[in-house]
Amino acid sequence: MTLTAPSPAAAGREPAARGRLPGELPSIHALLICADLPGLALSAENGQLTGDGLEGFYQSGRRLLSRCHVRVAGREPVAVQGRLVSAGRARFMGVVRTPGGAGPDPEVVVERLRDADGTERITLRSSARRTLRLRMEIGLGTDLADLGAVAAGRPGPELSASVHASGLRWSAGGAQAVVTSDPPPVDAIASAGLLRWEIELLPGASRTVELRVRTDRRARPPVRAGGGPLSEAAAEGDDPRVRELMRTSLDDLRALLMRDPRNPADTYLAAGVPWRCGLAPAEALWAARMTLPLGTRLAASTLRALARTQRTGGGPEHGRIPGPFRDAGPHLPPSCTGIEATLAFPVVLAEARRWGLAEQDVEELLPAAERCLMWLRGAAGDDGCLPEPGPGGPRRVETWAHAHRAAVLGADLLAACGRPGAEGWREWAAVTRRRFREDFWIDDRAGGRPAAARIAGGRLVPHLGGATAHLLDTGLLGGGGQAPGLLDKVQTEQVARLLSGPAMDSGWGLRSLGSREPGHNPFGHRGGAVRVHETAVAVAGLAAAGYEREAAALLRGVLDAAAVFGNRLPEMYAGEQRTTGSLPVPHPAACRPAAVSAAAGVHLLTALAGIRPDAPAGTVALFPMRGAPLGAVQFSGLRVAGEPFGVRISRLGLGMIEEAAGALQLGG
């Protein structure tokens, strides 16, 4: 269900949510979402802003314009197309049959180019053989509501307007919005929220009206305006989806870049539009890690921003990076890790160093990474596993994988930087591996499986889910080597078999909970939906472990889904089983674009090349997928050791470096 906002005739009345329960998010899967944070524009595919649901222009979380309704010659244009041109721009096409027009064909095309920064260009084009004199009217309105209030179904009444310069102005509670136009309207009627133009169109001519929506609150400029931290990478291949997925993923990532309010020189990725347009620590670090092939600048600035939030001052919280609790799925208590960012911090720093992060940045961030490890040492149980916060918190499989990875890569980082403690962390990780293999693996006739969690009293939760993929993500060490993982060789083979089976592989990607498990819900965030970044983790982990056939099947499924979503991968979609002629089913409330899914697009594609750099040692190794599941692929504009890096994978699965820093040597 969506929200009902006031029509022009009902201006001033309080809108009500239709059929929505308290706390229920409105559906967004059918909206065209333009994002260039801090600006947003959301609308239906016909381009008209009606004020319904989340529709409108937003800046820094406030809706500056909820209604922008165009009429030409007394008629609403017939919508024929609405699509995204880029992450921050949408193009809408409509047609109008004019009074007195001969025949069934429309004579006027109405094009609307809408930008997330609050600009809209409305162009009328005539194909009539005679001069047309048309009246164009634009109805405008706003409630100046916060995005959170709009999402909750409490946007407030539409405000009264006043005439201001070449447009209209609204104000309430110390906030204001102004719409100006070029050229100015003939009439501006504040009581109706209406701007009017009398337009003369000669045969074959066009006229454009530009609207600008602004506020008195100065917004930080989009990061892309000053040059962002991501390289201008590109991908080409036999499969045309490679180019489109890379292009769209990069576009979405740049649209989500935000400046750290504590230090605007540092940037990070907002979690996703429209619900999470701020810093979500774990998602920001995951996205920075998966985009390391695009350079280390994003990782460095994200780490600096999060280091500023780290708890210090002693006590059990010392070293923890705060993060939100989230739902853990149908078989665990209703919260999950708020500690994932703390475990990811040393991992991202260690791997960014391998990709070429400057030593001065490493030295600056190393104390924060050491504090993260110090917190892990104090918070982990006797078995080496980290419980979730709170009394009787479960020990989840993915948290165990994150903690082990932090210990192994943290030890590598400490040793490389000449800091004490590396050997102790290696010993801790070895004990953790042994305890996991003995105590967290459930044996059965089918070959066994890792538990999803251990809960109070020591009971193992046996349900198989996408979080198991994190066991395959061991991390990058020196010389292009993969870190040791929690699984032994036999267990790794069994996990590969389980993840590629029909219960987990929906045909569109990896389910977050297997279809045969109790409580499976294809729309459940952790209960059965496809979470794109988990699938990307599985693809890269399977490929690195040598299970390329299983990795390729998941990769093709996500690429097929991406094509249906216009290559803008949502954070999740329904885990419905793929059948002949079926399409992936959207999740009604999934963020789109989302940082982890856009970064997952990059991670999925670069997994084909298997790039494993060791910039401090001056080497880079390639471990391409030998089966070349997408045919020949070429990457350009990547970055290793701070310099452009290009690589080609042939149809035979052979890797060839085409551009690299002069000091880099091929290793592995």
Side-chain angles (χ1 to χ4, degrees):
M1 293 292 181
T2 55
L3 304 179
T4 303
S7 65
R13 294 209 303 252
E14 182 81 23
R18 291 188 304 197
R20 285 176 52 209
L21 299 174
E24 181 183 2
L25 296 178
S27 174
I28 62 169
H29 72 277
L31 295 179
L32 279 180
I33 302 174
C34 299
D36 195 0
L37 296 181
L40 288 175
L42 296 87
S43 63
E45 289 189 359
N46 64 11
Q48 300 280 37
L49 297 181
T50 64
D52 187 55
L54 289 170
E55 290 183 11
F57 278 101
Y58 295 79
Q59 187 180 96
S60 300
R62 183 179 296 277
R63 182 156 67 177
L64 300 184
L65 195 65
S66 59
R67 187 164 52 84
C68 183
H69 195 273
V70 175
R71 292 174 64 86
V72 177
R75 305 177 182 187
E76 184 172 343
V78 176
V80 294
Q81 186 184 72
R83 65 182 181 89
L84 287 176
V85 178
S86 66
R89 170 173 285 190
R91 180 176 183 263
F92 306 94
M93 295 288 288
V95 294
V96 175
R97 288 191 64 215
T98 57
D105 299 330
E107 296 178 315
V108 176
V109 171
V110 182
E111 179 190 63
R112 302 173 72 169
L113 284 177
R114 177 173 298 152
D115 288 295
D117 65 1
T119 304
E120 180 158 337
R121 291 171 57 86
I122 303 166
T123 300
L124 307 186
R125 294 190 179 91
S126 172
S127 57
R129 296 182 180 180
R130 66 193 188 285
T131 297
L132 299 178
R133 292 176 176 83
L134 305 172
R135 172 174 291 180
M136 184 171 76
E137 297 177 327
I138 303 180
L140 303 169
T142 189
D143 47 26
L144 290 177
D146 288 332
L147 176 58
V150 178
R154 301 188 302 272
E158 188 170 292
L159 302 172
S160 298
S162 60
V163 176
H164 178 85
S166 58
L168 299 175
R169 178 181 181 273
W170 300 263
S171 60
Q176 76 164 6
V178 175
V179 175
T180 57
S181 65
D182 182 20
V186 174
D187 294 310
I189 307 171
S191 59
L194 193 68
L195 302 181
R196 180 181 295 152
W197 293 261
E198 301 293 341
I199 294 176
E200 181 177 272
L201 283 176
L202 299 176
S206 64
R207 289 282 301 278
T208 297
V209 171
E210 181 174 282
L211 302 180
R212 289 188 175 272
V213 186
R214 59 182 175 85
T215 182
D216 56 347
R217 182 169 59 181
R218 184 179 180 183
R220 289 188 174 90
V223 174
R224 68 173 67 190
L230 301 172
S231 70
E232 296 290 339
E236 300 286 344
D238 291 343
D239 190 327
R241 297 175 300 178
V242 168
R243 180 177 66 85
E244 290 304 313
L245 180 58
M246 178 65 88
R247 181 187 62 80
T248 305
S249 295
L250 282 170
D251 200 29
D252 283 348
L253 287 167
R254 293 188 179 105
L256 293 169
L257 285 168
M258 295 287 286
R259 299 183 186 275
D260 183 5
R262 296 178 179 86
N263 186 341
D266 286 330
T267 58
Y268 53 76
L269 289 165
V273 171
W275 313 120
R276 306 175 70 200
C277 295
L279 176 61
E283 284 87 341
L285 283 171
W286 268 106
R289 184 182 178 217
M290 289 192 288
T291 56
L292 282 172
L294 307 178
T296 61
R297 289 176 56 199
L298 177 61
S301 59
T302 301
L303 290 166
R304 281 194 292 267
L306 289 175
R308 297 182 187 108
T309 73
Q310 189 175 38
R311 301 276 172 83
T312 57
E317 290 288 281
H318 179 80
R320 188 168 80 85
I321 296 173
F325 292 98
R326 300 185 295 273
D327 180 67
H331 299 294
L332 291 173
S335 67
C336 69
T337 186
I339 57 179
E340 189 174 337
T342 310
L343 304 176
F345 192 103
V347 170
V348 174
L349 180 58
E351 291 192 328
R353 179 177 174 273
R354 295 294 176 192
W355 282 89
L357 182 64
E359 286 300 322
Q360 63 185 29
D361 290 324
V362 175
E363 291 175 6
E364 175 191 356
L365 293 163
L366 187 58
E370 290 179 304
R371 288 192 290 270
C372 290
L373 293 171
M374 187 184 305
W375 177 87
L376 171 58
R377 177 80 74 178
D382 294 337
D383 58 359
C385 183
L386 188 64
E388 299 298 312
R395 288 158 163 78
R396 296 191 306 129
V397 65
E398 62 188 290
T399 303
W400 204 327
H402 298 330
H404 178 263
R405 189 189 310 115
V408 175
L409 269 65
D412 185 61
L413 180 66
L414 294 175
C417 296
R419 303 294 279 262
E423 192 56 37
W425 279 112
R426 292 191 181 105
E427 293 174 0
W428 186 92
V431 171
T432 301
R433 285 195 294 276
R434 179 175 58 81
R435 295 298 298 270
F436 180 89
R437 295 169 187 176
E438 293 175 353
D439 300 341
F440 219 74
W441 185 267
I442 302 173
D443 289 313
D444 57 32
R445 293 182 179 179
R449 62 171 61 186
R454 183 187 291 274
I455 59 177
R459 183 172 68 85
L460 294 176
V461 178
H463 308 295
L464 182 66
T468 304
H470 292 284
L471 294 172
L472 300 172
D473 175 20
T474 59
L476 179 64
L477 294 178
Q482 292 290 104
L486 287 172
L487 302 174
D488 62 26
K489 184 176 180 180
V490 173
Q491 291 169 340
T492 299
E493 182 178 1
Q494 175 66 357
V495 166
R497 187 185 69 81
L498 290 171
L499 294 183
S500 62
M504 287 300 299
D505 183 1
S506 69
W508 304 113
L510 193 68
R511 293 185 176 97
S512 55
L513 183 67
S515 60
R516 297 172 186 169
E517 304 296 334
H520 170 79
N521 172 5
F523 289 92
H525 183 202
R526 291 177 179 265
V530 174
R531 302 174 72 206
V532 175
H533 85 282
E534 273 185 352
T535 303
V537 168
V539 168
L542 287 166
Y547 297 94
E548 294 187 0
R549 180 179 61 82
E550 294 82 356
L554 289 171
L555 172 63
R556 291 190 189 99
V558 175
L559 259 66
D560 289 342
V564 175
F565 291 118
N567 293 299
R568 171 178 270 186
L569 283 165
E571 64 173 327
M572 59 181 168
Y573 43 89
E576 295 281 0
Q577 184 60 47
R578 183 174 185 172
T579 58
T580 302
S582 68
L583 296 175
V585 178
H587 190 289
C591 284
R592 186 172 50 92
V596 289
S597 57
V602 177
H603 196 54
L604 284 164
L605 294 176
T606 53
L608 292 166
I611 307 166
R612 300 186 197 170
D614 187 354
T619 66
V620 60
L622 297 180
F623 293 85
M625 294 175 67
R626 297 295 184 182
L630 302 181
V633 180
Q634 180 180 1
F635 296 97
S636 60
L638 304 178
R639 298 192 76 82
V640 175
E643 297 292 335
F645 185 80
V647 61
R648 178 190 296 272
I649 309 301
S650 74
R651 294 185 181 93
L652 299 177
L654 300 176
M656 297 160 281
I657 295 176
E658 299 198 323
E659 183 181 20
L664 279 180
Q665 299 295 318
L666 183 61

